[in-house]
Structures are given as structure tokens and as C-alpha cells.
Amino acid sequence: MASNFRIPFIDLFTDSKRELLRGTLARIEETVTKSQFILGDAVSEFERDFAKLSGTTHAVAVNSGLDALILSLRAVGIGKGDEVITAPNSFIATAAAIALVGAKPVFADVGEDFNLDPSKLEAAMTAKTRAIMPVHLTGNPCRMEQIRDVADAFRVKIIEDAAQAVGAAYDDVPAGALGLMGAFSLHPLKNLHAWGDGGIITTNSQELADNLKLQRNHGLKNRDEVEFYSYNSRLDSIQAVVALQHLKLLDETTDQRRAHAHLYDERLGDLGEHIKIPMREKRVKHVFHVYQLRAKNRDALKAYLAEQGIETKVHYPIPIHWQKASAYLGYKKGDFPVCDRLAGEILSLPVRENLKDDEIDFICDAVRKFYRVAKAA
Ligand SMILES: Cc1ncc(COP(=O)(O)O)c(C=O)c1O
């Protein structure tokens, strides 16, 4: 029987955000009255605060997560004839960025943590490999120590796709400071976001930061002199204001998401044969951009939860190497057995910061009802 209870997966604006809205609008008014529409104070302030959060000396704001990846690859000269190893279960932009700079995306399988499996990297290396692009999927940092060992052994660079991982950390080192550069997205669905598109790149290299600033602004060294032909990929000043205001709430948002995830782990952890919760690594700070688990009869569970008013998602049902866009790379289903299997098992439950405890109870009860497993006494 369908329920009247509705638990949307995403609920971006609730009353608790009214104060944030007022503060943001006031700061936008200030930006507009100063006519600072392009770069200016808000962008610099956001870059400074974001670098601090990421434990890096520099952050360069751009106009999307995709551009953050593209500009990072270009900053180290990756292009035609080069290969970059990444995960096949990411959002399409990861592979697209590699392809769009003219390089070849090379996939390696993932592990049971849903992230790049470090033991699969070596087999993917060729003489053309220039970088590894680990994706901290769902906000869960990759096993960076082992990835770094392989990168060092093969003398290739690490460019993090940290689009989903703002505030995450591995061994207390923040995402964005775990490689040479870290690329983040400020898309409205991300834990830290703007009211439109945006992205930011972190690095400890002055030279790379200088290059990225030129790349995002037509290659302009100053008003009149151009170092090289380039894009316009600046973060809008108004979006920088929005992101800056949201940054103040990030710790709270992260704590709420982590607390929700903890509740799910606790309440669904005994459903062993039906629900598999990924192992929680102690050295990792997971920020739960998405709360993902593996579910037996996933599609039937998803449909049942929808009937109960619970919206769930799959991130992502079609791995990148199955996509038509990737056909030219010559991969086939079965090439990455873990990734291919996970595509049919993974399910994302709502974990947004404004979720209520009784909603989590309702979701957990519904999952138990589906599998006909009573609550432990
Ligand atoms: C893993 C990953 N990489 C890259 C991107 C691209 O970010 P954007 O949508 O801001 O271009 C996203 C998000 O959309 C993402 O989730």
C-alpha cells in the first residue's frame, strides 16, 4: 500500500536556511553595489578560506567541477598521446575531462570500498601513463597511501577528483591536499555549493596556481598581455558569495550527514545477507555526499521504498565504460568485475543534512519490512 509519507532524496531549501539566505542576499547586494561582478573580493576570500579548509597554500576558483579537472590536467601539460588512469564507476565528467584535453581515459577496477583498487593500478600502467585520477566517490577518500606508492613507483602525478569530497580526509590530510592538485565541484547538489555551477582547484604549488589563474582568465597576465590562448572559466563573483556563505555551515552540514550515516550503519548493520554496508576505514573521514550500500534485489527494494514515499537513487547505474560515449575506448561489460557487479547492487539512501531522525527510522523500518527481518531486540 502506498504511503502518504514523503522523503525526498534532495531537499535543497528548508526553513533552516532562511538566515543563510538573508545573509547571502545582503552580501550579494554589497557585491553588486561595488560592481564586482568578475573576480574581486568575494572570489579571493572564497579561495583563501577554501585553501585553508583543504590544507593547501592555494585554491583557484573556476566555473565548474568539470573545468576544475580540465584545467588541472592542462596545468601539468597532459594532452594528446597521454593516458590517465581513473575509476569506471564515477560521474561521467571524470573520464570526459581526460578525453577533452586529448588524453585517453584508462580505467582500473574498484574495490569493495567502491573506490579505485590500488592493487589494480599497476596492470593499467603503460609508457604513456602520466597521471592517476582517484575519485573520492560519495565523499569517501580513496586508499591514498597505496595509490601514492604506485604513483611514486611509476613517477606519475596524482590529480584528485574531489568533486564529491569537500571536507573529507585521509589520515587527517584533507581531500584536495592528497595529490598534486584537487578538483572540486560547487554544483548545487554538493555538500558545499553555489546557486549554480562552480568549481575550485587546490594545490600547494605556486607555479600551478599561477598557471591555473591564467588558464581560467583568457591567459591574461594583466589587462593587456596574454601568455597563451585560453578559456574563460572564472567562478562568478555572485556564486563565490554564495559558496563563501555556505562554507560557514560546512562543518555543521558534514557532522549532520555523518551522524545520519552512523544511524543507518547501526540500524541496518545486522541485515548481513541482504544489505552490505561498505567497510568503514578508520583512517578515513567520509563526508557522505551520498550514503551508498549494496542491496540484494536492489531494483525491487528501490521500487518498494518508492511505494512507501522514500526516494532513493543509484550512483551510477551505468558505469562509464558501458556508456556509448566510451565506445571508442573498446571496453566491454565484464572488464571490471567489481565495478560491473556493483552497478546492479548499489543503492543510495537519502542522507541530506536536514533529514530527521524519525525519517531515518521510517526508512530503516521499510528496508527491514522489505526483507522481512524484524528489529533486533
Ligand atoms: C565525481 C565527479 N566529478 C566531476 C564532477 C563534475 O562537476 P560539475 O558538475 O561541477 O562540472 C562531478 C559532479 O557533478 C562529480 O560528481
Side-chain angles (χ1 to χ4, degrees), residues 17-266:
K17 294 231 173 119
R18 289 222 173 265
E19 204 184 311
L20 177 79
L21 173 64
R22 275 191 292 272
T24 308
L25 291 176
R27 183 78 203 265
I28 287 176
E29 187 174 347
E30 187 191 319
T31 305
V32 171
T33 52
K34 282 196 207 156
S35 299
Q36 283 200 346
F37 298 110
I38 302 293
L39 300 175
D41 296 345
V43 174
S44 311
E45 213 179 303
F46 177 59
E47 290 175 334
R48 188 198 61 207
D49 289 0
F50 197 90
K52 198 164 156 211
L53 166 88
S54 309
T56 56
T57 46
H58 304 278
V60 179
V62 295
N63 71 11
S64 71
L66 173 65
D67 271 8
L69 290 168
I70 290 177
L71 269 55
S72 300
L73 289 162
R74 285 191 190 277
V76 287
I78 290 177
K80 206 166 180 310
D82 297 329
E83 295 180 1
V84 178
I85 301 172
T86 194
N89 62 342
S90 183
F91 179 61
I92 196 71
T94 312
I98 298 166
L100 288 168
V101 302
K104 181 180 171 192
V106 173
F107 301 116
D109 207 356
V110 296
E112 296 298 332
D113 61 352
F114 310 159
N115 278 334
L116 260 187
D117 180 345
S119 73
K120 300 286 161 53
L121 294 173
E122 191 167 337
M125 289 281 173
T126 73
K128 295 177 178 171
T129 309
R130 295 279 314 280
I132 300 171
M133 184 174 280
V135 184
H136 307 310
L137 205 68
T138 72
N140 183 31
C142 295
R143 282 172 276 167
M144 289 308 296
E145 186 178 10
Q146 289 129 292
I147 291 177
R148 205 173 295 124
D149 285 346
V150 182
D152 289 349
F154 286 85
R155 294 168 190 245
V156 301
K157 300 182 167 31
I158 294 178
I159 298 171
E160 295 169 77
D161 183 338
Q164 302 186 0
V166 62
Y170 178 91
D171 280 348
D172 294 326
V173 179
L178 293 164
L180 183 62
M181 280 171 281
F184 294 82
S185 165
L186 301 170
H187 181 280
L189 294 182
K190 299 296 191 273
N191 294 15
L192 170 67
H193 57 87
W195 288 342
D197 279 309
I200 189 157
I201 307 159
T202 50
T203 183
N204 281 317
S205 159
Q206 178 73 55
E207 196 187 332
L208 289 173
D210 291 344
N211 174 278
L212 292 165
K213 283 187 176 169
L214 289 171
Q215 278 200 73
R216 73 160 173 202
N217 192 22
H218 305 286
L220 279 164
K221 190 169 87 175
N222 52 45
R223 190 182 174 279
D224 302 314
E225 289 173 275
V226 177
E227 295 280 301
F228 49 80
Y229 293 153
S230 193
Y231 299 101
N232 173 354
S233 181
R234 301 175 295 234
L235 177 67
D236 278 353
S237 309
I238 286 175
Q239 296 301 354
V241 169
V242 179
L244 195 54
Q245 295 297 112
H246 280 85
L247 193 55
K248 295 179 188 156
L249 290 186
L250 184 65
D251 283 346
E252 197 184 321
T253 302
T254 304
D255 289 349
Q256 284 159 334
R257 285 175 172 262
R258 281 165 54 84
H260 298 335
H262 186 68
L263 278 184
Y264 279 130
D265 281 3
E266 240 174 43

Side-chain angles (χ1 to χ4, degrees), residues 1-7 301-311 362-363 365-367 369-370:
M1 205 182 61
S3 148
N4 290 327
F5 212 56
R6 287 273 164 270
I7 307 183
L301 172 64
K302 190 173 191 317
Y304 175 79
L305 294 176
E307 274 172 30
Q308 310 306 308
I310 302 163
E311 191 186 6
F362 184 81
I363 295 169
D365 286 349
V367 172
K369 270 189 206 137
F370 175 77

Side-chain angles (χ1 to χ4, degrees), residues 82-84 86-88 92 94-96 98-100 102-107 319-332 335-336:
D82 297 329
E83 295 180 1
V84 178
T86 194
I92 196 71
T94 312
I98 298 166
L100 288 168
K104 181 180 171 192
V106 173
F107 301 116
I320 301 178
H321 64 292
W322 300 3
Q323 296 285 353
K324 184 176 162 197
S326 310
Y328 77 101
L329 294 169
Y331 291 108
K332 56 184 185 322
D335 281 347
F336 307 107

